[in-house]
Amino acid sequence: MRVVRSYDACVARQIKNRWVLVGLVAAGQLVILLVGSVWLISWLDATISDAVRDRVLLIASSEVDRLATAIDQLDLESADPESADGNRLQAFLDNYVPPRGGSVYLVHAEDGTPIGLQAWRDRGLTDLVVQHAGSEQPMLALGRGTMADSGVVNADDTDWFIATRVLNDVDARLLFVHRERDVRADVAPVIGTMRAVTFLIAGVVVLSSIVLTTIIMRRYENRLAHVNSNLHKLVDMRTRALLKSRSAVIEGLAKLAESRDDETGQHLERIKKYVRVLGEHLAVAHPEVTPEFVDTMEETSALHDIGKVGIPDAVLLSTGKLSADERTIIEKHPLIGGDTILAVRRQWGDDEFLVTACEIIFAHHERWDGAGYPFGLAGDMIPIAARVVALADVYDALTSRRSYKDALSHDDARDIILQGAGSHFDPDVVAAFEARDDDFRRIRDRYAKDWES
């Protein structure tokens, strides 16, 4: 069952890690889309601005050509505002409505100074023209262009889209201009809309990706949970089958040893119950005595005397007092049984069950004061499982009838056990026995009919 719990914990960690992975993927997608969106918006801004700039220059060039043709048809000889031709030109320009955002100016062909600035309609170039009015330098020469250029001219940190045409008949030049910030102001709503739409699309893509990934992961988790559930059941079935097989083998080995002594009756069943009672009480003050360890102690306690199968019948079944040689022979049974389980461990590998079985078999006849056998271990050097089985084994031997003795009462056996605290038995195990002696009494009385009948 511990294996199953470990497997469940492993699956839980894997599921948690998968959700962390989903979060990282979603965050990565968000970062990539945001960076891509920013780049796309910058690229669109530059591309649209270039396209608009080219379009504005094209419109300006077309408009100034159309306007120059119209003025040529007036057959003017002078653009001087004081002349009749100048008045006709002024009237014409006053009635002219340039395209949205544009302005038209008339300057001297040679020096670029304005002609009749106050008489013509201003479309936004007033500051530039006024600032440079009367200057000895041509107005367009102040920027990146020249008088013959059409393009983008910079003045006072402001870009201007300018198209020019020479009016040969009146010795003047037409300027058709757009201020770039006005053009950008017209384009800004489009750029803003595209920016909003781009971020909206990016957000929708990320959200859709997260939702889709979550749906896929949930479906995957449901399938995985179904597979895990079936696997869990399979592992549980296999584990139960293995435990059942192990219990059967243990029971068989224990019965093999018990069969050598017909008078032991249900000794093994009683030992297991006594061990569980002691183990459950010790678990309160001993962290190492876990519920799993109590289960293992209970099951392996049945193997404590399997070494008796190697003891000759003349010694094992003797009803009289054993001689020193016979005592030496019978004291070998912990070594015989322990070596048997060690051989199994060498084939199987270290396992909590086999380790506990070895501890019990080897050390259940050791004494707290070091006077036991076969190794003369003392105190905490004796494994706790062996200390528990030692008390349970002695109590059962005292309260069971043998061919060579009668069974003692629970109270008499209890007194002997209490007197052995600190010498024969671990004081903590004796304290557990004293606290639960009523349970020992009930177990003993339940099986007493087997030898009293």
Side-chain angles (χ1 to χ4, degrees):
M1 300 304 292
R2 180 176 297 180
V3 173
V4 174
R5 284 192 292 270
S6 298
Y7 174 77
D8 289 342
C10 181
V11 171
R13 285 195 299 272
Q14 289 176 347
I15 292 175
K16 181 179 179 181
N17 291 338
R18 281 193 291 273
W19 281 112
V20 171
L21 179 60
V22 170
L24 291 176
V25 170
Q29 291 175 339
L30 180 60
V31 170
I32 292 173
L33 285 173
L34 285 178
V35 173
S37 298
V38 171
W39 175 85
L40 178 61
I41 290 171
S42 299
W43 178 80
L44 289 174
D45 191 0
T47 301
I48 292 175
S49 297
D50 290 342
V52 170
R53 176 176 299 193
D54 294 340
R55 180 64 177 170
V56 168
L57 288 175
L58 179 62
I59 292 174
S61 297
S62 299
E63 188 63 20
V64 80
D65 284 341
R66 186 177 70 83
L67 187 57
T69 301
I71 292 175
D72 286 341
Q73 293 175 355
L74 294 176
D75 295 327
L76 302 176
E77 295 181 359
S78 174
D80 189 347
E82 301 300 329
S83 66
D85 286 345
N87 289 331
R88 291 174 59 203
L89 179 58
Q90 179 176 331
F92 175 80
L93 293 177
D94 284 343
N95 294 321
Y96 170 73
V97 179
R100 182 169 178 262
S103 300
V104 176
Y105 295 94
L106 194 64
V107 299
H108 288 289
E110 294 181 359
D111 59 13
T113 56
I115 299 175
L117 174 67
Q118 71 283 1
W120 286 297
R121 184 173 300 165
D122 178 24
R123 296 297 181 190
L125 197 58
T126 304
D127 295 338
L128 180 64
V129 174
V130 170
Q131 179 178 350
H132 300 297
S135 172
E136 295 181 357
Q137 294 181 328
M139 180 180 65
L140 295 181
L142 298 176
R144 295 195 298 268
T146 66
M147 287 294 291
D149 288 336
S150 292
V152 180
V153 176
N154 180 268
D156 299 331
D157 297 326
T158 302
D159 285 337
W160 303 83
F161 300 110
I162 298 180
T164 70
R165 289 294 182 272
V166 176
L167 302 176
N168 295 323
D169 294 339
V170 296
D171 193 24
R173 182 185 294 269
L174 279 173
L175 300 180
F176 192 92
V177 299
H178 279 272
R179 188 163 47 187
E180 184 177 24
R181 64 187 179 192
D182 293 335
V183 175
R184 285 190 173 276
D186 292 337
V187 176
V190 178
I191 298 296
T193 301
M194 294 185 64
R195 182 181 291 111
V197 170
T198 301
F199 280 117
L200 178 61
I201 292 174
V204 171
V205 170
V206 172
L207 182 60
S208 300
S209 176
I210 293 175
V211 172
L212 181 61
T213 303
T214 302
I215 293 173
I216 293 174
M217 287 302 299
R218 283 190 178 277
R219 188 167 184 178
Y220 171 74
E221 293 296 344
N222 291 336
R223 287 189 176 185
L224 183 61
H226 180 68
V227 172
N228 288 341
S229 177
N230 292 337
L231 184 58
H232 185 287
K233 292 178 181 179
L234 180 60
V235 171
D236 189 51
M237 290 174 57
R238 294 287 179 86
T239 301
R240 291 179 184 276
L242 179 61
L243 293 176
K244 186 175 182 180
S245 299
R246 188 179 68 182
S247 298
V249 172
I250 292 171
E251 187 72 16
L253 289 173
K255 290 296 183 181
L256 178 63
E258 190 180 59
S259 67
R260 299 291 308 283
D261 186 358
D262 293 336
E263 295 181 345
T264 57
Q266 294 177 311
H267 167 66
L268 299 180
E269 290 299 321
R270 294 193 298 273
I271 288 291
K272 290 167 68 174
K273 295 184 181 299
Y274 295 147
V275 167
R276 172 161 288 279
V277 169
L278 293 173
E280 289 176 348
H281 189 84
L282 288 170
V284 177
H286 293 262
E288 71 273 20
V289 183
T290 62
E292 293 81 3
F293 185 69
V294 173
D295 293 340
T296 302
M297 278 199 306
E298 178 184 14
E299 193 167 6
T300 54
S301 65
L303 298 173
H304 70 284
D305 276 340
I306 64 168
K308 286 184 178 180
V309 296
I311 304 301
D313 288 347
V315 176
L316 182 64
L317 303 179
S318 175
T319 58
K321 185 177 181 180
L322 297 177
S323 64
D325 291 340
E326 290 174 331
R327 172 61 61 184
T328 300
I329 292 173
I330 203 167
E331 288 181 356
K332 291 181 179 179
H333 80 271
L335 296 175
I336 296 172
D339 289 340
T340 301
I341 300 302
L342 281 178
V344 176
R345 283 181 60 184
R346 282 192 289 271
Q347 295 294 323
W348 183 267
D350 281 340
D351 175 80
E352 182 181 8
F353 179 85
L354 295 177
V355 170
T356 306
C358 285
E359 292 175 347
I360 290 174
I361 295 169
F362 275 126
H364 72 283
H365 282 297
E366 301 288 354
R367 292 171 54 102
W368 186 256
D369 58 8
Y373 65 89
F375 303 114
L377 302 178
D380 290 335
M381 294 179 64
I382 306 171
I384 190 169
R387 286 179 257 158
V388 171
V389 173
L391 188 148
D393 190 31
V394 169
Y395 176 83
D396 191 69
L398 291 174
T399 57
S400 299
R401 186 177 64 185
R402 296 288 186 268
S403 59
Y404 52 86
K405 76 173 188 71
D406 291 330
L408 294 181
S409 67
H410 168 78
D411 292 335
D412 291 339
R414 179 178 181 274
D415 292 340
I416 294 173
I417 295 293
L418 295 182
Q419 291 174 7
S423 56
H424 192 163
F425 307 111
D426 177 357
D428 287 348
V429 178
V430 174
F433 165 77
E434 187 176 15
R436 302 289 293 272
D437 77 305
D438 286 341
D439 294 319
F440 272 69
R441 184 196 301 274
R442 281 193 293 271
I443 295 170
R444 186 260 181 193
D445 292 344
R446 187 185 311 159
Y447 289 93
K449 60 183 180 180
D450 292 339
W451 61 77
E452 290 176 352
S453 57

